[in-house]
Amino acid sequence: MSGRLLQSARNALDGLSALSGAPRHVGSVTAYDGQMIEVEAFPLPIGSACRMVMADGSTVRGQLVGFRGTQSLVVPFRQDAAFVMHGPVYPDGKGSFAEVGDDLLGRVIDAHGSPLDGRSNPKARLLWPLAGRNANPLDTGRVTQALETGVRAIDTLLTLGEGQRVALVAGSGVGKSVLMGQILHGLKADVYVIGLIGERSREVRDFVETKLPDSRRNKTVVVAVPADFPAQLRLRAAYRATAIAEFFRNKGLRVVLMIDSLTRIAHAQREIGLALGEPPTMKGYPPSALAMIPRLIERGGIDTVRGGSITALYTVLADGGDTNDPVVDTARAITDGHIILSRQMAEQGIYPAIDISKSLSRTMSDTVDDEHLSAAMRFRRLWSVYEDNRDLLLIGGYTKGQDAEVDAAISTYPEMCAFISQYQQNSFNFAESRAYLTRVFRHG
């Protein structure tokens, strides 16, 4: 038997159990348009994973995403593979699951769970569904425990809680990744899961070496897929990172999940949806791209049955600075809070460039006391008053004494700017930041 035929036979037997009495469907490639493969005689449900045999006998993984007549549509995980007409397509039983386990801690893996850090394959043998497990909404707990991030503007004015899902929204180059690193330094948890999806390859190494603290490395799992990888792999990486976080939460652990970025994931689903023939709606996004966002975000939160939690942070790229972008709007509506970064503030040298008036934590009233909440509301009010009257002040159209609140906003604005400004390497104590806020900005 030739080497090619022998390899093809091995592929056919791969994953086939002698204990299973059920027949296994074997499909056949009938068409390929550069993105979608049409497979006949492959009656498996949507979402099923498969393996396709190439001209040289090697295999490429793929996923069934739809149907066209009697043909099954499969997205391959490699676009440059040498597909052959009537090449066999085999089901991949484990392809719809993520291999999970404690051996993943301290590792950097790709969308398939293969190592990127030059070390051996993780010895993770437990399986967790990539799409997650159905959960009773009444098993999701309330967010009542405040978390310390070390970022003074967030801790005092946008206080986050354990189990909260937050969108970090900004245009390109305004400081999303830097702020993610600052938050990662300050947040204390049992496990950290980082999804670097659809970004530049350079940023993966940069994040691991400069943004990931040494004290966190052995408690962190990084799932990375750069922008030049196929759309289905970018989606798969997001689902794998979330599945890993769910596994550790199921063990009763406190997990921090960071996904950078949700926009790239939506772009990947847009590519697939349009290739399937879905009608484009707002800004070219098909319905499936926007429907995918709540399905992903809703997998976070507190599990009252097991006692674990997933505190999730998703970065969202506001294309062209448009905060009314469909992805931004959808993420803002489904998360428990949003942090908006302002390009104007970044240009003024205020970092982190958090736009206090447009940012919000929906759970803050449940995680802080009344004195803290009152002082934060006073700060936000003065900040908004100053921003609303900025143009009038710049042209000299306001005279001191005309409005007491405007006078208060003008006099405290330098102090407010100094309060929310923070160097990247600095970290502030939650109690001290709260004490300063309540002392200076209490209602008077």
Side-chain angles (χ1 to χ4, degrees):
M1 181 180 291
S2 69
R4 182 180 300 178
L5 291 176
L6 180 61
Q7 182 62 46
S8 180
R10 287 173 177 167
N11 292 330
L13 295 173
D14 182 39
L16 186 62
S17 172
L19 299 178
S20 174
R24 187 167 72 150
H25 296 284
V26 179
S28 176
V29 174
T30 59
Y32 177 49
D33 63 3
Q35 189 167 9
M36 293 282 181
I37 295 177
E38 292 189 15
V39 182
E40 66 178 1
F42 201 61
L44 296 183
I46 288 178
S48 299
C50 60
R51 292 174 180 267
M52 294 156 284
V53 179
M54 303 296 99
D56 60 358
S58 63
T59 60
V60 169
R61 292 177 176 178
Q63 184 172 358
L64 198 156
V65 295
F67 306 103
R68 182 176 293 150
T70 60
Q71 306 292 300
S72 298
L73 300 179
V74 173
V75 175
F77 295 155
R78 276 181 53 197
Q79 303 291 345
D80 59 345
F83 299 103
V84 61
M85 181 65 76
H86 301 304
V89 181
Y90 303 104
D92 182 5
K94 293 183 179 180
S96 299
F97 294 85
E99 293 183 331
V100 294
D102 293 341
D103 196 54
L104 290 173
L105 296 174
R107 304 301 304 273
V108 182
I109 61 175
D110 64 10
H112 296 304
S114 302
L116 295 174
D117 50 15
R119 297 158 58 186
S120 60
N121 282 318
K123 298 176 182 178
R125 294 293 179 262
L126 300 175
L127 296 180
W128 192 274
L130 285 171
R133 295 176 176 174
N134 292 330
N136 186 337
L138 293 180
D139 291 339
T140 302
R142 295 176 59 238
V143 178
T144 58
Q145 181 64 45
L147 289 179
E148 179 175 354
T149 67
V151 180
R152 188 160 54 185
I154 295 177
D155 286 347
T156 56
L157 305 172
L158 305 164
T159 310
L160 305 186
E162 181 181 339
Q164 187 171 353
R165 290 82 48 86
V166 183
L168 177 56
V169 182
S172 57
V174 184
K176 296 188 303 298
S177 297
V178 173
L179 183 55
M180 271 188 67
Q182 285 182 276
I183 295 173
L184 183 60
H185 273 264
L187 276 178
K188 293 180 175 59
D190 300 315
V191 175
Y192 304 83
V193 182
I194 315 296
L196 303 176
I197 299 162
E199 300 297 330
R200 293 176 285 272
S201 297
R202 173 190 61 80
E203 291 187 336
V204 176
R205 188 182 191 103
D206 180 72
F207 187 92
V208 172
E209 294 185 354
T210 66
K211 305 294 192 307
L212 186 60
D214 291 337
S215 60
R216 303 277 195 266
R217 290 182 185 274
N218 292 332
K219 299 193 293 183
T220 302
V221 184
V222 178
V223 183
V225 174
D228 58 338
F229 280 63
Q232 194 64 33
L233 280 185
R234 281 174 268 152
L235 281 177
R236 196 175 185 83
Y239 288 125
R240 181 173 292 274
T242 307
I244 293 170
E246 287 177 319
F247 163 74
F248 285 110
R249 178 183 61 183
N250 196 58
K251 294 178 65 176
L253 301 177
R254 296 177 303 153
V255 182
V256 169
L257 171 66
M258 291 184 168
I259 300 291
D260 185 15
S261 74
L262 191 65
T263 303
R264 304 303 186 195
I265 300 169
H267 286 177
Q269 183 61 50
R270 178 170 64 181
E271 290 180 36
I272 296 171
L274 293 178
L276 284 170
E278 287 188 62
T281 54
M282 295 181 292
K283 283 200 171 181
Y285 287 101
S288 64
L290 301 181
M292 173 270 305
I293 294 174
R295 288 202 304 270
L296 192 65
I297 292 176
E298 278 297 297
R299 292 168 64 179
I302 298 174
D303 184 348
T304 57
V305 177
R306 300 285 183 174
S309 66
I310 297 176
T311 303
L313 178 67
Y314 304 89
T315 67
V316 185
L317 178 64
D319 291 330
D322 181 13
T323 55
N324 292 318
D325 177 86
V327 176
V328 175
D329 200 43
T330 303
R332 188 166 47 193
I334 197 66
T335 52
D336 304 314
H338 49 271
I339 300 172
I340 309 292
L341 300 188
S342 164
R343 188 176 299 278
Q344 181 183 13
M345 292 177 63
E347 291 170 349
Q348 294 172 5
I350 301 174
Y351 287 99
I354 300 174
D355 191 331
I356 301 301
S357 59
K358 294 181 180 178
S359 302
L360 176 69
S361 173
R362 290 189 173 95
T363 63
M364 182 174 176
S365 59
D366 296 323
T367 57
V368 300
D369 56 64
D370 291 342
E371 185 183 18
H372 183 168
L373 187 62
S374 177
M377 292 174 63
R378 175 65 173 168
F379 185 106
R380 293 171 64 92
R381 174 62 181 166
L382 293 175
W383 183 272
S384 296
V385 167
Y386 186 90
E387 291 298 320
D388 290 344
N389 292 276
R390 176 186 289 274
D391 293 340
L392 187 64
L393 297 173
L394 291 176
I395 64 174
Y398 176 79
T399 303
K400 184 177 180 180
Q402 290 180 325
D403 188 290
E405 191 136 84
V406 176
D407 291 343
I410 295 171
S411 64
T412 58
Y413 185 73
E415 192 168 14
M416 289 191 290
C417 288
F419 180 77
I420 65 174
S421 298
Q422 181 174 335
Y423 287 114
Q424 179 180 348
Q425 63 273 21
N426 289 352
S427 182
F428 291 98
N429 178 271
F430 185 95
E432 293 176 357
S433 299
R434 177 200 175 280
Y436 180 87
L437 178 78
T438 55
R439 183 176 69 253
V440 177
F441 295 99
R442 65 165 57 93
H443 280 285

